[in-house]
Short mmCIF file of all heavy atoms in Angstrom, two decimals:
data_model
loop_
_atom_site.label_atom_id
_atom_site.label_comp_id
_atom_site.label_asym_id
_atom_site.label_seq_id
_atom_site.Cartn_x
_atom_site.Cartn_y
_atom_site.Cartn_z
N MET A 10 151.45 126.20 93.76
CA MET A 10 150.24 126.53 94.52
C MET A 10 149.28 125.36 94.59
O MET A 10 148.70 125.07 95.54
CB MET A 10 149.60 127.78 93.86
CG MET A 10 148.53 128.40 94.69
SD MET A 10 149.35 129.19 96.17
CE MET A 10 148.27 130.56 96.31
N LYS A 11 149.07 124.67 93.38
CA LYS A 11 148.24 123.53 93.30
C LYS A 11 148.67 122.39 94.16
O LYS A 11 147.92 121.68 94.81
CB LYS A 11 147.98 123.17 91.86
CG LYS A 11 146.97 122.06 91.73
CD LYS A 11 146.66 121.81 90.25
CE LYS A 11 145.60 120.72 90.26
NZ LYS A 11 144.56 120.90 89.25
N LYS A 12 150.04 122.25 94.17
CA LYS A 12 150.62 121.13 94.96
C LYS A 12 150.38 121.35 96.46
O LYS A 12 150.03 120.45 97.17
CB LYS A 12 152.15 121.00 94.72
CG LYS A 12 152.74 119.85 95.37
CD LYS A 12 154.15 119.76 94.88
CE LYS A 12 154.80 118.53 95.48
NZ LYS A 12 156.25 118.34 95.03
N ARG A 13 150.42 122.58 96.91
CA ARG A 13 150.17 122.96 98.36
C ARG A 13 148.72 122.69 98.69
O ARG A 13 148.45 122.18 99.69
CB ARG A 13 150.52 124.42 98.53
CG ARG A 13 150.48 124.87 99.96
CD ARG A 13 150.89 126.31 100.08
NE ARG A 13 150.83 126.70 101.38
CZ ARG A 13 151.02 127.94 101.84
NH1 ARG A 13 151.27 128.84 100.95
NH2 ARG A 13 151.02 128.25 103.12
N ARG A 14 147.82 123.03 97.74
CA ARG A 14 146.48 122.72 97.99
C ARG A 14 146.13 121.21 98.11
O ARG A 14 145.46 120.79 98.95
CB ARG A 14 145.59 123.31 96.88
CG ARG A 14 144.12 123.15 97.01
CD ARG A 14 143.36 123.94 95.91
NE ARG A 14 141.96 123.45 95.91
CZ ARG A 14 141.44 122.81 94.87
NH1 ARG A 14 142.05 122.51 93.77
NH2 ARG A 14 140.17 122.43 94.97
N ASN A 15 146.78 120.48 97.22
CA ASN A 15 146.64 118.98 97.29
C ASN A 15 147.15 118.45 98.64
O ASN A 15 146.55 117.52 99.19
CB ASN A 15 147.25 118.33 96.09
CG ASN A 15 146.64 118.64 94.85
OD1 ASN A 15 145.47 119.01 94.86
ND2 ASN A 15 147.31 118.41 93.71
N ILE A 16 148.22 119.02 99.11
CA ILE A 16 148.78 118.58 100.44
C ILE A 16 147.77 118.95 101.56
O ILE A 16 147.65 118.02 102.39
CB ILE A 16 150.18 119.18 100.65
CG1 ILE A 16 151.17 118.54 99.62
CG2 ILE A 16 150.68 118.94 102.03
CD1 ILE A 16 152.50 119.26 99.61
N LEU A 17 147.19 120.02 101.51
CA LEU A 17 146.28 120.46 102.55
C LEU A 17 145.01 119.52 102.53
O LEU A 17 144.51 119.20 103.53
CB LEU A 17 145.84 121.94 102.39
CG LEU A 17 146.95 122.92 102.78
CD1 LEU A 17 146.43 124.38 102.43
CD2 LEU A 17 147.24 122.80 104.23
N ILE A 18 144.52 119.24 101.29
CA ILE A 18 143.45 118.35 101.23
C ILE A 18 143.75 116.96 101.72
O ILE A 18 142.93 116.27 102.44
CB ILE A 18 142.92 118.29 99.75
CG1 ILE A 18 142.33 119.64 99.35
CG2 ILE A 18 141.90 117.12 99.56
CD1 ILE A 18 141.97 119.77 97.91
N ALA A 19 144.93 116.47 101.36
CA ALA A 19 145.32 115.05 101.86
C ALA A 19 145.45 115.16 103.28
O ALA A 19 145.15 114.15 104.05
CB ALA A 19 146.70 114.69 101.22
N ALA A 20 145.96 116.17 103.94
CA ALA A 20 146.16 116.31 105.39
C ALA A 20 144.78 116.32 106.06
O ALA A 20 144.60 115.68 107.10
CB ALA A 20 146.95 117.52 105.75
N ALA A 21 143.81 117.00 105.50
CA ALA A 21 142.48 117.11 106.07
C ALA A 21 141.79 115.72 105.96
O ALA A 21 141.18 115.31 106.97
CB ALA A 21 141.62 118.12 105.31
N VAL A 22 141.91 115.00 104.96
CA VAL A 22 141.37 113.67 104.79
C VAL A 22 142.06 112.74 105.82
O VAL A 22 141.33 111.96 106.44
CB VAL A 22 141.50 113.14 103.42
CG1 VAL A 22 141.18 111.69 103.33
CG2 VAL A 22 140.61 113.96 102.43
N ALA A 23 143.32 112.85 106.02
CA ALA A 23 144.09 112.05 106.95
C ALA A 23 143.57 112.30 108.39
O ALA A 23 143.35 111.38 109.11
CB ALA A 23 145.56 112.24 106.87
N VAL A 24 143.40 113.55 108.76
CA VAL A 24 142.95 113.92 110.10
C VAL A 24 141.49 113.36 110.22
O VAL A 24 141.19 112.83 111.36
CB VAL A 24 142.99 115.41 110.33
CG1 VAL A 24 142.16 115.85 111.47
CG2 VAL A 24 144.42 115.90 110.36
N TYR A 25 140.66 113.50 109.25
CA TYR A 25 139.30 112.99 109.32
C TYR A 25 139.32 111.48 109.63
O TYR A 25 138.60 111.03 110.58
CB TYR A 25 138.61 113.31 108.01
CG TYR A 25 137.18 112.63 107.95
CD1 TYR A 25 136.15 113.14 108.74
CD2 TYR A 25 136.96 111.60 107.03
CE1 TYR A 25 134.88 112.57 108.57
CE2 TYR A 25 135.66 111.14 106.88
CZ TYR A 25 134.67 111.57 107.71
OH TYR A 25 133.43 111.00 107.65
N PHE A 26 140.07 110.70 108.89
CA PHE A 26 140.06 109.29 109.12
C PHE A 26 140.82 108.92 110.44
O PHE A 26 140.42 107.89 111.08
CB PHE A 26 140.78 108.55 107.93
CG PHE A 26 139.78 108.32 106.76
CD1 PHE A 26 139.70 109.19 105.76
CD2 PHE A 26 138.78 107.31 106.87
CE1 PHE A 26 138.86 108.99 104.68
CE2 PHE A 26 137.91 107.18 105.90
CZ PHE A 26 137.90 107.98 104.80
N LEU A 27 141.74 109.71 110.89
CA LEU A 27 142.39 109.53 112.17
C LEU A 27 141.31 109.66 113.22
O LEU A 27 141.21 108.87 114.18
CB LEU A 27 143.53 110.46 112.38
CG LEU A 27 144.16 110.45 113.80
CD1 LEU A 27 144.91 109.12 113.96
CD2 LEU A 27 145.04 111.56 113.97
N LEU A 28 140.54 110.75 113.12
CA LEU A 28 139.38 110.97 114.17
C LEU A 28 138.39 109.81 114.11
O LEU A 28 137.92 109.38 115.17
CB LEU A 28 138.76 112.30 113.93
CG LEU A 28 139.56 113.50 114.26
CD1 LEU A 28 138.80 114.78 113.79
CD2 LEU A 28 139.84 113.67 115.71
N LEU A 29 138.08 109.30 112.90
CA LEU A 29 137.13 108.21 112.79
C LEU A 29 137.73 106.95 113.54
O LEU A 29 136.94 106.26 114.28
CB LEU A 29 136.88 107.82 111.36
CG LEU A 29 136.02 108.90 110.57
CD1 LEU A 29 135.91 108.44 109.06
CD2 LEU A 29 134.62 108.97 111.14
N GLY A 30 138.94 106.69 113.33
CA GLY A 30 139.60 105.55 113.93
C GLY A 30 139.65 105.65 115.45
O GLY A 30 139.36 104.71 116.18
N LEU A 31 139.95 106.85 115.93
CA LEU A 31 139.93 107.15 117.34
C LEU A 31 138.52 106.97 117.97
O LEU A 31 138.32 106.42 118.98
CB LEU A 31 140.44 108.50 117.62
CG LEU A 31 141.98 108.78 117.62
CD1 LEU A 31 142.26 110.16 117.74
CD2 LEU A 31 142.58 108.00 118.78
N LEU A 32 137.56 107.44 117.23
CA LEU A 32 136.22 107.34 117.62
C LEU A 32 135.72 105.85 117.85
O LEU A 32 135.22 105.47 118.87
CB LEU A 32 135.25 108.04 116.72
CG LEU A 32 133.78 108.09 117.07
CD1 LEU A 32 133.58 108.87 118.39
CD2 LEU A 32 132.94 108.77 116.02
N VAL A 33 136.08 105.06 116.84
CA VAL A 33 135.75 103.60 116.95
C VAL A 33 136.54 102.99 118.07
O VAL A 33 135.91 102.25 118.89
CB VAL A 33 136.06 102.90 115.61
CG1 VAL A 33 135.92 101.41 115.75
CG2 VAL A 33 135.09 103.45 114.50
N ALA A 34 137.78 103.20 118.21
CA ALA A 34 138.64 102.64 119.29
C ALA A 34 138.09 103.01 120.64
O ALA A 34 138.06 102.19 121.54
CB ALA A 34 140.07 103.08 119.15
N LEU A 35 137.72 104.28 120.81
CA LEU A 35 137.20 104.74 122.15
C LEU A 35 135.80 104.27 122.45
O LEU A 35 135.55 103.88 123.59
CB LEU A 35 137.26 106.30 122.19
CG LEU A 35 138.64 106.87 122.13
CD1 LEU A 35 138.56 108.38 121.91
CD2 LEU A 35 139.45 106.59 123.37
N GLU A 36 134.93 104.22 121.46
CA GLU A 36 133.58 103.87 121.72
C GLU A 36 133.39 102.39 121.82
O GLU A 36 132.40 101.95 122.56
CB GLU A 36 132.65 104.51 120.60
CG GLU A 36 132.59 105.97 120.64
CD GLU A 36 131.79 106.48 121.91
OE1 GLU A 36 130.63 105.96 122.13
OE2 GLU A 36 132.40 107.32 122.64
N SER A 37 134.11 101.59 121.08
CA SER A 37 133.84 100.13 121.01
C SER A 37 134.09 99.45 122.31
O SER A 37 133.54 98.32 122.54
CB SER A 37 134.67 99.50 119.90
OG SER A 37 135.98 99.65 120.16
N GLY A 38 134.76 100.06 123.26
CA GLY A 38 134.98 99.52 124.61
C GLY A 38 133.86 99.69 125.47
O GLY A 38 133.73 99.04 126.62
N SER A 39 132.92 100.52 125.17
CA SER A 39 131.81 100.77 126.09
C SER A 39 130.63 99.82 125.74
O SER A 39 130.29 99.68 124.58
CB SER A 39 131.29 102.11 125.91
OG SER A 39 130.18 102.44 126.64
N PRO A 40 129.98 99.19 126.72
CA PRO A 40 128.88 98.28 126.50
C PRO A 40 127.58 99.00 125.92
O PRO A 40 126.78 98.35 125.21
CB PRO A 40 128.52 97.73 127.88
CG PRO A 40 129.10 98.65 128.83
CD PRO A 40 130.31 99.36 128.17
N ASP A 41 127.48 100.30 126.10
CA ASP A 41 126.28 101.08 125.58
C ASP A 41 126.61 101.71 124.20
O ASP A 41 125.80 102.42 123.77
CB ASP A 41 125.94 102.12 126.57
CG ASP A 41 125.51 101.54 127.91
OD1 ASP A 41 124.97 100.41 127.91
OD2 ASP A 41 125.71 102.19 128.93
N ALA A 42 127.73 101.42 123.66
CA ALA A 42 128.19 102.17 122.38
C ALA A 42 127.25 101.86 121.27
O ALA A 42 126.87 100.73 120.96
CB ALA A 42 129.58 101.79 122.04
N SER A 43 126.99 102.82 120.44
CA SER A 43 126.20 102.70 119.20
C SER A 43 127.20 102.88 117.99
O SER A 43 126.74 102.68 116.85
CB SER A 43 125.04 103.70 119.10
OG SER A 43 125.55 105.05 119.08
N ILE A 44 128.41 103.24 118.29
CA ILE A 44 129.38 103.42 117.19
C ILE A 44 130.54 102.39 117.50
O ILE A 44 131.35 102.57 118.28
CB ILE A 44 129.99 104.80 117.18
CG1 ILE A 44 128.88 105.86 117.08
CG2 ILE A 44 131.01 105.06 116.13
CD1 ILE A 44 129.26 107.27 117.27
N THR A 45 130.47 101.30 116.75
CA THR A 45 131.38 100.15 116.98
C THR A 45 132.16 99.80 115.73
O THR A 45 133.00 98.84 115.82
CB THR A 45 130.73 98.99 117.64
OG1 THR A 45 129.67 98.56 116.79
CG2 THR A 45 130.16 99.31 118.95
N SER A 46 131.90 100.41 114.62
CA SER A 46 132.60 100.04 113.39
C SER A 46 132.90 101.33 112.55
O SER A 46 132.39 102.38 112.89
CB SER A 46 131.75 99.11 112.49
OG SER A 46 130.66 99.83 112.06
N LEU A 47 133.82 101.14 111.69
CA LEU A 47 134.15 102.32 110.80
C LEU A 47 132.98 102.84 110.03
O LEU A 47 132.83 104.07 109.90
CB LEU A 47 135.35 102.01 109.91
CG LEU A 47 135.88 103.11 109.06
CD1 LEU A 47 136.50 104.23 109.92
CD2 LEU A 47 136.96 102.56 108.12
N GLY A 48 132.16 102.01 109.55
CA GLY A 48 130.97 102.42 108.84
C GLY A 48 130.04 103.23 109.65
O GLY A 48 129.53 104.27 109.24
N GLU A 49 129.78 102.74 110.96
CA GLU A 49 129.00 103.51 111.86
C GLU A 49 129.62 104.89 112.18
O GLU A 49 128.88 105.88 112.33
CB GLU A 49 128.69 102.76 113.09
CG GLU A 49 127.81 101.57 112.87
CD GLU A 49 127.77 100.59 114.09
OE1 GLU A 49 128.69 100.66 115.00
OE2 GLU A 49 126.95 99.71 114.01
N ALA A 50 130.94 104.94 112.30
CA ALA A 50 131.61 106.17 112.59
C ALA A 50 131.48 107.17 111.44
O ALA A 50 131.27 108.37 111.61
CB ALA A 50 133.06 105.95 112.93
N ILE A 51 131.58 106.63 110.22
CA ILE A 51 131.49 107.47 109.01
C ILE A 51 130.07 108.03 109.03
O ILE A 51 129.86 109.26 108.72
CB ILE A 51 131.89 106.73 107.71
CG1 ILE A 51 133.32 106.50 107.67
CG2 ILE A 51 131.41 107.51 106.46
CD1 ILE A 51 133.82 105.47 106.58
N TRP A 52 129.12 107.18 109.23
CA TRP A 52 127.68 107.63 109.20
C TRP A 52 127.44 108.70 110.25
O TRP A 52 126.81 109.71 109.98
CB TRP A 52 126.78 106.45 109.49
CG TRP A 52 125.32 106.83 109.64
CD1 TRP A 52 124.57 106.83 110.82
CD2 TRP A 52 124.44 107.33 108.61
NE1 TRP A 52 123.34 107.24 110.60
CE2 TRP A 52 123.23 107.58 109.30
CE3 TRP A 52 124.55 107.57 107.25
CZ2 TRP A 52 122.05 108.00 108.51
CZ3 TRP A 52 123.40 107.99 106.60
CH2 TRP A 52 122.22 108.28 107.25
N TYR A 53 127.91 108.45 111.45
CA TYR A 53 127.81 109.45 112.53
C TYR A 53 128.45 110.80 112.17
O TYR A 53 127.87 111.82 112.36
CB TYR A 53 128.41 108.91 113.81
CG TYR A 53 128.61 110.00 114.84
CD1 TYR A 53 127.45 110.46 115.57
CD2 TYR A 53 129.86 110.46 115.15
CE1 TYR A 53 127.66 111.49 116.48
CE2 TYR A 53 129.97 111.53 116.08
CZ TYR A 53 128.88 111.99 116.78
OH TYR A 53 128.99 112.97 117.63
N SER A 54 129.62 110.73 111.59
CA SER A 54 130.27 111.96 111.23
C SER A 54 129.63 112.76 110.14
O SER A 54 129.48 113.93 110.21
CB SER A 54 131.74 111.68 110.86
OG SER A 54 131.81 111.05 109.58
N ILE A 55 129.05 112.05 109.17
CA ILE A 55 128.38 112.80 108.08
C ILE A 55 127.01 113.36 108.63
O ILE A 55 126.73 114.48 108.33
CB ILE A 55 128.07 111.70 106.89
CG1 ILE A 55 129.37 111.39 106.25
CG2 ILE A 55 127.01 112.35 105.95
CD1 ILE A 55 129.30 110.32 105.17
N VAL A 56 126.28 112.60 109.39
CA VAL A 56 125.07 113.05 109.94
C VAL A 56 125.34 114.26 110.83
O VAL A 56 124.63 115.28 110.87
CB VAL A 56 124.32 111.94 110.69
CG1 VAL A 56 123.16 112.53 111.49
CG2 VAL A 56 123.82 110.96 109.66
N THR A 57 126.42 114.20 111.57
CA THR A 57 126.86 115.31 112.46
C THR A 57 127.24 116.54 111.77
O THR A 57 126.78 117.66 112.03
CB THR A 57 127.83 114.86 113.52
OG1 THR A 57 127.42 113.73 114.29
CG2 THR A 57 128.35 115.97 114.44
N MET A 58 128.14 116.37 110.79
CA MET A 58 128.75 117.51 110.09
C MET A 58 127.65 118.14 109.18
O MET A 58 127.81 119.35 108.84
CB MET A 58 130.00 117.07 109.18
CG MET A 58 131.11 116.71 110.12
SD MET A 58 132.70 116.59 109.39
CE MET A 58 132.51 115.20 108.26
N THR A 59 126.67 117.48 108.73
CA THR A 59 125.65 118.11 107.95
C THR A 59 124.50 118.63 108.89
O THR A 59 123.61 119.19 108.33
CB THR A 59 124.99 117.13 106.89
OG1 THR A 59 124.45 115.97 107.64
CG2 THR A 59 125.95 116.70 105.86
N THR A 60 124.68 118.46 110.14
CA THR A 60 123.69 118.95 111.20
C THR A 60 122.33 118.40 111.03
O THR A 60 121.37 118.97 111.54
CB THR A 60 123.61 120.51 111.27
OG1 THR A 60 123.01 121.07 110.05
CG2 THR A 60 124.98 121.14 111.41
N VAL A 61 122.28 117.18 110.46
CA VAL A 61 120.95 116.47 110.33
C VAL A 61 120.60 115.89 111.79
O VAL A 61 119.54 116.13 112.28
CB VAL A 61 120.99 115.36 109.26
CG1 VAL A 61 119.69 114.56 109.34
CG2 VAL A 61 121.21 116.01 107.94
N GLY A 62 121.54 115.09 112.32
CA GLY A 62 121.41 114.59 113.67
C GLY A 62 120.21 113.69 113.84
O GLY A 62 119.24 113.97 114.68
N TYR A 63 120.15 112.50 113.17
CA TYR A 63 119.10 111.62 113.32
C TYR A 63 118.98 110.99 114.77
O TYR A 63 117.95 110.68 115.21
CB TYR A 63 119.29 110.42 112.36
CG TYR A 63 119.12 110.81 110.92
CD1 TYR A 63 120.07 110.59 109.97
CD2 TYR A 63 117.92 111.39 110.46
CE1 TYR A 63 119.95 110.94 108.65
CE2 TYR A 63 117.70 111.72 109.13
CZ TYR A 63 118.72 111.51 108.24
OH TYR A 63 118.56 111.87 106.98
N GLY A 64 120.15 110.85 115.43
CA GLY A 64 120.12 110.39 116.82
C GLY A 64 120.24 108.88 116.88
O GLY A 64 120.10 108.34 118.05
N ASP A 65 120.43 108.20 115.75
CA ASP A 65 120.60 106.76 115.78
C ASP A 65 121.96 106.28 116.19
O ASP A 65 122.18 105.22 116.63
CB ASP A 65 120.14 106.20 114.44
CG ASP A 65 121.03 106.67 113.31
OD1 ASP A 65 121.63 107.81 113.51
OD2 ASP A 65 121.05 106.06 112.26
N ALA A 66 122.96 107.21 116.07
CA ALA A 66 124.31 106.90 116.42
C ALA A 66 124.80 108.13 117.25
O ALA A 66 124.66 109.27 116.80
CB ALA A 66 125.21 106.65 115.27
N PHE A 67 125.43 107.86 118.40
CA PHE A 67 125.95 108.94 119.17
C PHE A 67 127.05 108.42 120.10
O PHE A 67 127.03 107.23 120.52
CB PHE A 67 124.86 109.59 120.02
CG PHE A 67 124.06 108.55 120.78
CD1 PHE A 67 124.38 108.16 122.03
CD2 PHE A 67 122.89 107.94 120.21
CE1 PHE A 67 123.62 107.18 122.76
CE2 PHE A 67 122.11 107.00 120.85
CZ PHE A 67 122.48 106.65 122.16
N PRO A 68 128.01 109.28 120.40
CA PRO A 68 129.04 108.77 121.31
C PRO A 68 128.55 108.74 122.77
O PRO A 68 127.77 109.57 123.14
CB PRO A 68 130.20 109.83 121.17
CG PRO A 68 129.51 111.09 120.63
CD PRO A 68 128.30 110.61 119.88
N VAL A 69 129.14 107.78 123.50
CA VAL A 69 128.70 107.61 124.97
C VAL A 69 129.82 107.96 125.84
O VAL A 69 129.59 108.16 127.03
CB VAL A 69 128.05 106.28 125.22
CG1 VAL A 69 126.75 106.09 124.51
CG2 VAL A 69 129.03 105.14 124.92
N THR A 70 131.02 107.88 125.38
CA THR A 70 132.21 108.11 126.27
C THR A 70 132.60 109.62 126.17
O THR A 70 132.30 110.35 125.16
CB THR A 70 133.44 107.28 125.86
OG1 THR A 70 133.85 107.67 124.52
CG2 THR A 70 133.11 105.83 125.94
N VAL A 71 133.26 110.17 127.17
CA VAL A 71 133.61 111.58 127.16
C VAL A 71 134.61 111.83 125.98
O VAL A 71 134.40 112.81 125.28
CB VAL A 71 134.28 112.01 128.46
CG1 VAL A 71 134.82 113.42 128.49
CG2 VAL A 71 133.18 111.92 129.60
N PRO A 72 135.70 111.01 125.77
CA PRO A 72 136.54 111.29 124.61
C PRO A 72 135.80 111.22 123.33
O PRO A 72 136.08 111.95 122.44
CB PRO A 72 137.60 110.23 124.69
CG PRO A 72 137.65 109.76 126.14
CD PRO A 72 136.23 109.94 126.64
N GLY A 73 134.82 110.27 123.22
CA GLY A 73 134.04 110.22 121.99
C GLY A 73 133.17 111.49 121.77
O GLY A 73 133.02 111.88 120.67
N LYS A 74 132.64 112.05 122.89
CA LYS A 74 131.84 113.29 122.77
C LYS A 74 132.75 114.44 122.35
O LYS A 74 132.34 115.29 121.60
CB LYS A 74 131.18 113.61 124.08
CG LYS A 74 130.07 112.54 124.41
CD LYS A 74 129.44 112.87 125.76
CE LYS A 74 128.32 111.80 126.02
NZ LYS A 74 127.78 112.03 127.32
N ILE A 75 133.99 114.40 122.78
CA ILE A 75 134.91 115.44 122.32
C ILE A 75 135.18 115.35 120.86
O ILE A 75 135.32 116.34 120.15
CB ILE A 75 136.27 115.31 123.18
CG1 ILE A 75 135.96 115.76 124.68
CG2 ILE A 75 137.35 116.22 122.54
CD1 ILE A 75 137.10 115.48 125.56
N ILE A 76 135.41 114.13 120.34
CA ILE A 76 135.62 113.90 118.93
C ILE A 76 134.36 114.31 118.15
O ILE A 76 134.46 114.99 117.10
CB ILE A 76 136.02 112.44 118.60
CG1 ILE A 76 137.43 112.21 119.21
CG2 ILE A 76 136.00 112.22 117.12
CD1 ILE A 76 137.90 110.79 119.08
N GLY A 77 133.19 114.09 118.69
CA GLY A 77 132.03 114.59 118.06
C GLY A 77 131.89 116.14 118.00
O GLY A 77 131.50 116.63 116.98
N GLY A 78 132.43 116.74 119.03
CA GLY A 78 132.47 118.19 119.01
C GLY A 78 133.47 118.67 117.95
O GLY A 78 133.30 119.67 117.32
N LEU A 79 134.63 117.92 117.82
CA LEU A 79 135.49 118.27 116.78
C LEU A 79 134.90 118.13 115.35
O LEU A 79 135.13 118.99 114.50
CB LEU A 79 136.83 117.41 116.79
CG LEU A 79 137.69 117.76 118.02
CD1 LEU A 79 138.82 116.66 118.08
CD2 LEU A 79 138.29 119.11 117.96
N PHE A 80 134.10 117.13 115.13
CA PHE A 80 133.38 116.98 113.89
C PHE A 80 132.49 118.24 113.65
O PHE A 80 132.43 118.70 112.50
CB PHE A 80 132.54 115.74 113.85
CG PHE A 80 133.40 114.47 113.60
CD1 PHE A 80 133.13 113.33 114.35
CD2 PHE A 80 134.33 114.42 112.65
CE1 PHE A 80 133.84 112.18 114.06
CE2 PHE A 80 135.09 113.22 112.36
CZ PHE A 80 134.82 112.13 113.05
N LEU A 81 131.81 118.71 114.68
CA LEU A 81 130.94 119.86 114.49
C LEU A 81 131.79 121.04 114.19
O LEU A 81 131.44 121.81 113.27
CB LEU A 81 130.24 120.10 115.86
CG LEU A 81 129.05 119.19 116.09
CD1 LEU A 81 128.46 119.39 117.53
CD2 LEU A 81 127.97 119.41 115.03
N LEU A 82 132.91 121.27 114.81
CA LEU A 82 133.76 122.39 114.55
C LEU A 82 134.36 122.36 113.10
O LEU A 82 134.47 123.31 112.40
CB LEU A 82 134.88 122.44 115.56
CG LEU A 82 134.44 122.83 117.03
CD1 LEU A 82 135.63 122.87 117.91
CD2 LEU A 82 133.81 124.23 116.94
N LEU A 83 134.68 121.14 112.66
CA LEU A 83 135.27 120.90 111.32
C LEU A 83 134.32 121.21 110.29
O LEU A 83 134.57 121.67 109.16
CB LEU A 83 135.90 119.47 111.16
CG LEU A 83 137.12 119.20 111.92
CD1 LEU A 83 137.47 117.77 111.84
CD2 LEU A 83 138.31 120.06 111.53
N SER A 84 133.00 120.97 110.57
CA SER A 84 131.98 121.17 109.55
C SER A 84 131.74 122.64 109.35
O SER A 84 131.19 123.05 108.37
CB SER A 84 130.69 120.44 109.91
OG SER A 84 130.16 121.09 111.07
N ALA A 85 132.08 123.50 110.23
CA ALA A 85 131.91 124.96 110.12
C ALA A 85 132.84 125.49 109.06
O ALA A 85 132.52 126.56 108.46
CB ALA A 85 132.17 125.65 111.48
N GLY A 86 133.83 124.82 108.79
CA GLY A 86 134.86 125.26 107.77
C GLY A 86 134.35 124.92 106.43
O GLY A 86 134.54 125.51 105.44
#
């Protein structure tokens, strides 16, 4: 049972970092992007998932906004 839990946690962490990588890849191509590095993506995701929402980092592309929505949904769990 503990092994299964560890696998689920590892999968969740992997999905989180996959989404972060996708966010950086999608946003860095836009000239108006405020999320252009992994650090900025991590900051954005933490601020979004805790519902603080400082507004200093935000996605500007449609796929980036979809990933932002996924971060919001993931934080509900």
Side-chain angles (χ1 to χ4, degrees):
M10 192 69 144
K11 186 171 178 138
K12 187 174 184 177
R13 185 177 184 188
R14 182 173 166 244
N15 289 342
I16 291 171
L17 287 174
I18 290 171
V22 170
V24 167
Y25 174 69
F26 278 99
L27 175 69
L28 288 173
L29 289 175
L31 280 172
L32 183 63
V33 171
L35 293 167
E36 290 292 306
S37 62
S39 175
D41 299 327
S43 63
I44 303 169
T45 57
S46 70
L47 185 60
E49 290 168 346
I51 291 171
W52 173 253
Y53 166 74
S54 70
I55 291 171
V56 169
T57 299
M58 290 194 297
T59 58
T60 67
V61 174
Y63 291 121
D65 58 341
F67 51 89
V69 294
T70 64
V71 172
K74 291 177 183 180
I75 291 170
I76 292 173
L79 289 173
F80 283 136
L81 284 172
L82 293 174
L83 290 172
S84 68

